[in-house]
Amino acid sequence: MDIARTPSTPDGNPEMADAPPTPKEPPLIRREDYRPFDWLVPKTHLDFALGLETTRVTATLKVERNPAGLPTPEIRLDGDGLTPLEVAVDGQVLNSWTLDDGKLVVPLSGEAHEIRMVTEISPAANSQLMGLYASNGMLCTQCEAEGFRRITFFPDRPDVLSTYTVRMSGDPEAFPVLLSNGNPVASGEDAGGHWAEWHDPWPKPSYLFALVAGDLVARKDRFTTITGREVDLAIWVRAEDLDRTGHAMESLKHSMKWDEEVFGREYDLDQFNIVAVGDFNMGAMENKGLNVFNTKYVLADAETATDGDYDGIEGVIAHEYFHNWSGNRVTCRDWFQLSLKEGFTVLRDQLFSQDMRGEAVKRIEDVRLLRSVQFPEDSGPLAHPIRPDSFREIGNFYTSTVYNKGAEVIRMMRTMAGPERFRQGTDLYFERHDGEAATCEDFIRAMEDGAGLDLAQFRLWYSQAGTPKVEVSLEHEGDTATLTLRQTVPPTPDQPDKQPMPIPLRLALFDRATGTHRGEELVVLDQVESVVRYGGFAERPVLSINRGFSAPVAIERSIDPEELVFLAKHDDDAFARYEAMQELIVGHLVTTVGGGLSDAARSEARGAIGEALRAVVTDDRLDDSMRGELMMLPAQSYISEQFLVADPGAIHAEREALKAWLGQTLEAELTALHRRASGQSSGMDPAARGARKVKTQALVFLAAGNPQAAATLAAAQYDAAETMTDRQGALMVLTGLPGPERTHKLIDFYNRFQGDALVIDKWFSLQAGSLHPNVIEHVKALAGHPDFTLKNPNRVRSLYMAFTGTPLGFHAESGEGYRMIADLILALDPINPSTAARFVPPLGRWRRLEPKRAALMRAELERIGAQPGLSRDTFEQVTRSLG
């Protein structure tokens, strides 16, 4: 499953919500308490009589005792909000069943039985969007992590694998298309309408079950596998969206071919279906053979989608397809092993995107995401290892730590083994565990045996939370350079003391005179401190370290700005060049915010940054995609991470002051860059995409340095735009500026795209995430807009999640921004607790803020926590955030 990749008077109706109040203390589930389920379920048959208001589900389970389980006289089947209409065992209706905390308890005495249960559910009333729910007249499912228990009673856990046969019947006018997992085996008509039957021959856990019924059309294609099998492909959407599915189909075919070539994984069914759904809590879901996607990650054309949208679709399509092996054929034993499938699959989709779009820029994008989301998670109250030890609500652990840090941990194995040996390890993993529910330890053992690695100490990456810090110093005496590396892993909740972990660091030593190095090497820091000496340097070399971001660590070193300028100009590792720019700027801003610079020192530091940025802007050897990355200032969230206690207002003021100085100092160069990039074509080739990126980055600096002139330039870019990338980039700049251009273009944008939900999401997000001083008032007004609703997760995220990133809005000194998000959580929790809980972490950063804001933020968390009947999702996030 892909987590959503997006960074007031709510209109929700809590009375219509279907989430009952939950106990104040949800049970704590511990990894150490795992034991196998007492029964196996080799076969499952589901019969659905479909309706929006009422759907009747008849589930027939073939069960037999699990030799690894306990000899229990009963079976306990998970349920959530269900009451059985009928329960039968071996064909006999049973009256001795009971309900225990939602679980159906059925007495069983023999070794094998057939259990049949009938339940009724209301998809239209399912505002949680978990289980079977209605979305704009269609029916669809979301079962990961624990949604299947909202459909029927079942051992809803990932280690119970079953083969499924699914029969669906319903009104052919309302539901002309009937889809489920696997392959279609029969269809027809009866007195109730029409019906279809699907069979999935591959055993799977219940979280991978899927059903879709609705009035849909498909873009169809075929793919020939490496062994010559023909696979029918279809992307199902509403008729009006069909023209925007071409990129998604091409992305799917590229993914299938790449997975065969790079990982040796061939698709294993006759059909592969994707369905786009407008109401969806996440990004997409990898259900076996029937992937259900948020429309955001399917629909695209140049008029409505940015270059970033195209990249997001390609990456998410690949991610869910790659799950067919890393998640479906080999699944998780329990939810503590979530990173087994998600971290591994994120790495696979990252490597795929690198091959499709270029390694350098993709790597920088991935690291920027990690630092802006996962690093703060690692240093806050919600910090946890990539394999957690306990949870109360598993939905809260679909985190950047599990996904993105999990990918970095497996990437480190690949770095140490090399691509060929890493492939040998993954081949062994798939061979050993195909058709099984595996653990992270199973993966590690396969990498040890297949790739020839010793990972005994490396296992600490799975059990220790926190971002390691590596202190680096380089001394030079005579002709010898001495490199000293020292690591610390900071304390995190429940883990005050940490052990040193193996940290693979790619590094190179540059000769100052020639701007070259002798070659790159890999140093693995596996102790608290390590010293490495290098001879043959008459002059002190310049160190380039953690090249390619070979380890997810924070590098701490005292380095002369002149050396950072040197690396920004000369480093042949694209990430290291980017890193030098970031380090130069972050170091200056941290010192400035801390009040440690005189006017003369500030002027000198700005001069060094300006020199480096000028080199980037004018370097003809750079392609524009890389130039655009090098031009981006470090995010405010990343700068804040450099402080034990941060003042968001002071950081924002200094960051904006630097941006304005650079915009004024380099106005001629930036204007020339914008003019040159504006002459590029509007195509999708790399040169055109790169030109669009630098065009917007130039506008960002110019708007800070000369707002009036930039507003005119941005308005002209908006009017001339032939792509959404150019139009959105111009509007993003204008939303942060006062003046008539802002108002005129926002009105034009809305009128131009009114009715297109995904584009109107952009309209909300651009305003809510802007640097405009009146952003709070803008968000209040937008919350009352007729197009805003609490019932659609995309719309909620587009407005409020964008707002949580604003220094002038969310972090307003009055605390009004914190109160606004707390009000949202309280209004949203009864409707959709999964989405509501995702708004708690921004409030959980209170310990890292200056005292006034910290007190205001904590007070809002306490107000939420005092609300009776909070969902398990929100309750856990709030209590952990408060500590």
Side-chain angles (χ1 to χ4, degrees):
M1 178 165 61
D2 178 74
I3 55 176
R5 298 188 179 193
T6 353
S8 118
T9 306
D11 70 347
N13 185 356
E15 287 77 19
M16 296 298 294
D18 62 338
T22 54
K24 191 64 177 175
E25 290 289 345
L28 186 67
I29 301 169
R30 296 179 175 85
R31 180 166 58 89
E32 64 185 19
D33 294 336
Y34 169 82
R35 68 179 182 85
F37 192 61
D38 297 327
W39 295 86
L40 303 175
V41 188
K43 291 185 179 181
T44 298
H45 186 281
L46 302 172
D47 193 317
F48 290 84
L50 299 172
L52 291 173
E53 298 299 329
T54 302
T55 289
R56 176 170 285 224
V57 184
T58 302
T60 304
L61 316 182
K62 299 281 190 180
V63 304
E64 55 191 49
R65 292 194 181 277
N66 185 354
L70 298 176
T72 175
E74 62 190 22
I75 188 170
R76 300 175 67 87
L77 302 173
D78 297 306
D80 183 357
L82 301 176
T83 300
L85 302 179
E86 181 178 291
V87 178
V89 175
D90 299 329
Q92 299 296 314
V93 174
L94 190 71
N95 295 316
S96 57
W97 56 266
T98 58
L99 285 177
D100 180 11
D101 193 25
K103 295 178 183 288
L104 177 66
V105 184
V106 180
L108 297 178
S109 58
E111 295 298 307
H113 299 277
E114 179 183 275
I115 305 173
R116 183 172 60 85
M117 299 157 292
V118 181
T119 56
E120 284 189 351
I121 54 179
S122 177
N126 184 356
S127 65
Q128 292 189 36
L129 309 185
M130 290 291 290
L132 178 67
Y133 65 92
S135 174
N136 295 316
M138 65 183 288
L139 295 175
C140 57
T141 56
Q142 170 56 34
C143 292
E144 187 177 356
E146 296 178 340
F148 191 75
R149 64 188 62 186
R150 294 169 58 80
I151 297 173
T152 189
F153 293 99
F154 198 81
D156 191 15
R157 43 189 287 167
D159 60 344
V160 177
L161 277 62
S162 183
T163 56
Y164 284 71
T165 302
V166 179
R167 188 184 191 276
M168 299 163 281
S169 61
D171 181 352
E173 291 189 7
F175 311 118
V177 174
L178 303 171
L179 304 172
S180 192
N181 306 89
N183 298 315
V185 293
S187 62
E189 298 180 359
D190 57 22
H194 75 147
W195 59 272
E197 188 170 298
W198 290 70
H199 175 65
D200 186 355
W202 300 100
K204 65 175 178 286
S206 55
Y207 81 85
L208 291 173
F209 169 77
L211 176 155
V212 173
D215 188 3
L216 302 168
V217 297
R219 177 180 293 273
K220 296 186 177 182
D221 209 325
R222 305 196 86 191
F223 180 80
T224 305
T225 72
I226 197 169
T227 62
R229 289 191 309 103
E230 292 291 325
V231 180
D232 291 325
L233 310 178
I235 297 180
W236 298 87
V237 295
R238 301 202 174 275
E240 60 269 23
D241 294 327
L242 187 62
D243 289 344
R244 293 196 282 168
T245 56
H247 177 64
M249 181 60 80
E250 290 305 306
S251 298
L252 174 58
K253 292 191 292 184
H254 291 160
S255 303
M256 298 176 80
K257 186 173 187 294
W258 184 89
D259 208 20
E260 289 181 343
E261 294 175 347
V262 177
F263 279 89
R265 300 297 105 194
E266 181 182 4
Y267 187 61
D268 53 9
L269 289 168
D270 299 333
Q271 294 203 356
F272 188 87
N273 291 303
I274 289 174
V275 179
V277 179
D279 300 287
F280 205 68
N281 284 335
M282 300 291 186
M285 180 60 209
E286 70 267 18
N287 317 298
K288 184 73 178 178
L290 177 58
N291 286 188
V292 180
F293 271 64
N294 192 317
T295 51
K296 177 180 174 65
Y297 295 108
V298 173
L299 306 180
D301 59 27
E303 176 70 10
T304 60
T306 65
D307 295 338
D309 293 331
Y310 274 88
D311 294 343
I313 289 169
E314 181 180 70
V316 176
I317 292 276
H319 181 95
E320 306 308 332
Y321 174 75
F322 297 156
H323 266 314
N324 187 64
W325 277 90
S326 52
N328 297 2
R329 287 284 288 260
V330 183
T331 193
C332 300
R333 185 195 72 176
D334 54 70
W335 290 120
F336 297 103
Q337 320 297 328
L338 183 59
S339 196
L340 172 72
K341 73 182 184 79
E342 295 299 351
F344 185 23
T345 305
V346 168
L347 174 64
R348 277 154 51 73
D349 82 53
Q350 289 175 350
L351 295 175
F352 166 77
S353 294
Q354 287 179 190
D355 286 349
M356 296 298 106
R357 298 192 282 116
E359 180 176 359
V361 171
K362 174 59 178 169
R363 188 65 184 132
I364 291 169
E365 291 172 353
D366 292 337
V367 174
R368 190 166 61 242
L369 175 64
L370 187 82
R371 285 174 165 171
S372 64
V373 180
Q374 197 280 320
F375 275 24
E377 191 169 88
D378 241 354
S379 65
L382 302 179
H384 58 276
I386 66 171
R387 183 184 58 198
D389 293 319
S390 64
F391 62 78
R392 296 186 189 277
E393 171 53 54
I394 182 55
N396 290 331
F397 283 87
Y398 284 77
T399 61
S400 184
T401 294
V402 166
Y403 281 69
N404 303 98
K405 186 176 181 179
E408 295 296 327
V409 168
I410 299 176
R411 186 185 287 264
M412 284 190 289
M413 296 185 202
R414 185 174 185 267
T415 296
M416 293 186 294
E420 291 184 6
R421 288 166 56 205
F422 180 75
R423 166 67 188 272
Q424 293 170 9
T426 60
D427 282 351
L428 183 60
Y429 167 69
F430 289 127
E431 178 185 334
R432 281 180 176 176
H433 301 291
D434 186 12
E436 294 181 0
T439 66
C440 293
E441 181 63 27
D442 291 329
F443 183 86
I444 296 170
R445 287 198 195 100
M447 293 307 300
E448 286 180 319
D449 296 342
L453 295 174
D454 179 357
L455 298 174
Q457 185 185 4
F458 190 86
R459 285 167 168 81
L460 290 167
W461 280 100
Y462 281 83
S463 60
Q464 293 190 160
T467 301
K469 301 183 185 302
V470 178
E471 298 175 36
V472 179
S473 65
L474 183 69
E475 304 294 333
H476 181 259
E477 184 175 350
D479 69 346
T480 301
T482 302
L483 175 65
T484 302
L485 304 171
R486 181 179 179 82
Q487 69 162 294
T488 57
V489 187
T492 52
D494 302 321
Q495 290 187 343
D497 301 311
K498 308 293 179 68
Q499 301 177 55
M501 302 189 291
I503 299 174
L505 296 167
R506 290 168 46 198
L507 60 87
L509 294 169
F510 278 83
D511 182 90
R512 293 171 183 268
T514 65
T516 61
H517 59 81
R518 302 174 182 176
E520 183 181 273
E521 67 173 283
L522 181 68
V523 172
V524 179
L525 173 64
D526 57 5
Q527 306 169 45
V528 172
E529 183 174 287
S530 181
V531 178
V532 188
R533 292 179 175 83
Y534 301 91
F537 287 99
E539 271 191 279
R540 174 189 168 91
V542 179
L543 174 66
S544 171
I545 193 166
N546 205 21
R547 292 158 66 84
F549 200 70
S550 56
V553 301
I555 299 292
E556 297 183 343
R557 59 174 171 171
S558 177
I559 183 170
D560 193 295
E562 175 269 330
E563 292 190 349
L564 292 173
V565 173
F566 173 92
L567 292 170
K569 289 181 176 180
H570 301 294
D571 206 315
D572 60 340
D573 179 87
F575 175 80
R577 187 171 184 180
Y578 164 83
E579 185 73 328
M581 284 290 297
Q582 297 288 294
E583 199 171 347
L584 186 65
I585 296 168
V586 168
H588 166 68
L589 290 175
V590 169
T591 306
T592 306
V593 171
L597 283 183
S598 64
D599 289 344
R602 176 182 293 198
S603 178
E604 181 180 353
R606 281 183 172 178
I609 295 169
E611 178 187 350
L613 184 58
R614 179 178 282 110
V616 167
V617 170
T618 60
D619 187 347
D620 292 336
R621 297 168 297 175
L622 278 175
D623 67 81
D624 278 340
S625 289
M626 187 65 199
R627 191 190 320 276
E629 295 295 333
L630 293 170
M631 290 174 66
M632 292 185 192
L633 291 182
Q636 168 130 352
S637 60
Y638 180 57
I639 299 168
S640 298
E641 280 300 296
Q642 315 310 309
F643 296 87
L644 288 176
V645 176
D647 183 336
I651 293 171
H652 172 68
E654 288 295 342
R655 187 177 182 274
E656 290 304 298
L658 174 62
K659 190 197 299 181
W661 184 87
L662 289 168
Q664 293 162 3
T665 303
L666 301 178
E667 184 171 7
E669 291 89 342
L670 291 165
T671 302
L673 175 62
H674 188 277
R675 186 183 307 113
R676 190 264 296 168
S678 297
Q680 272 282 0
S681 72
S682 60
M684 292 300 293
D685 57 283
R689 287 167 53 101
R692 290 193 285 270
K693 181 186 286 189
V694 297
K695 201 187 306 183
T696 294
Q697 288 307 309
L699 271 183
V700 167
F701 284 105
L702 291 169
N706 189 343
Q708 187 172 354
T712 301
L713 192 60
Q717 177 176 312
Y718 179 95
D719 290 336
E722 297 179 3
T723 67
M724 178 56 75
T725 304
D726 277 347
R727 182 168 285 112
Q728 179 174 299
L731 191 58
M732 180 268 292
V733 170
L734 287 170
T735 55
L737 299 175
E741 293 92 346
R742 177 186 189 276
T743 302
H744 294 158
K745 300 313 176 190
L746 281 170
I747 292 173
D748 177 81
F749 191 90
Y750 180 82
N751 290 336
R752 182 187 297 256
F753 297 107
Q754 186 175 8
D756 188 317
L758 293 178
V759 183
I760 296 304
D761 283 343
K762 300 177 189 293
W763 184 78
F764 277 96
S765 188
L766 286 168
Q767 296 174 79
S770 81
L771 297 178
H772 197 286
N774 296 329
V775 64
I776 289 180
E777 296 307 314
H778 296 161
V779 171
K780 287 180 179 178
L782 289 166
H785 193 280
D787 284 351
F788 183 76
T789 174
L790 280 184
K791 296 177 182 178
N792 180 270
N794 281 358
R795 189 55 47 87
V796 173
R797 287 189 289 261
S798 72
L799 182 63
Y800 287 107
M801 198 59 80
F803 176 73
T804 63
T806 57
L808 298 177
F810 181 63
H811 288 294
E813 278 193 273
S814 65
E816 190 172 3
Y818 306 148
R819 186 163 57 254
M820 185 181 294
I821 295 302
D823 288 344
L824 167 71
I825 292 167
L826 290 172
L828 189 58
D829 187 63
I831 301 168
N832 188 331
S834 173
T835 301
R838 293 188 178 277
F839 284 91
V840 176
L843 293 172
R845 303 294 297 162
W846 61 273
R847 290 178 180 81
R848 298 293 298 272
L849 297 184
E850 52 83 17
K852 181 180 178 182
R853 286 183 174 88
L856 292 169
M857 191 179 273
R858 179 185 173 92
E860 296 303 329
L861 283 170
E862 291 172 339
R863 179 164 71 92
I864 298 168
Q867 180 75 13
L870 277 181
S871 69
R872 290 189 311 174
D873 311 61
T874 300
F875 176 86
E876 179 178 32
Q877 294 288 70
V878 170
T879 54
R880 289 176 63 210
S881 295
L882 285 169

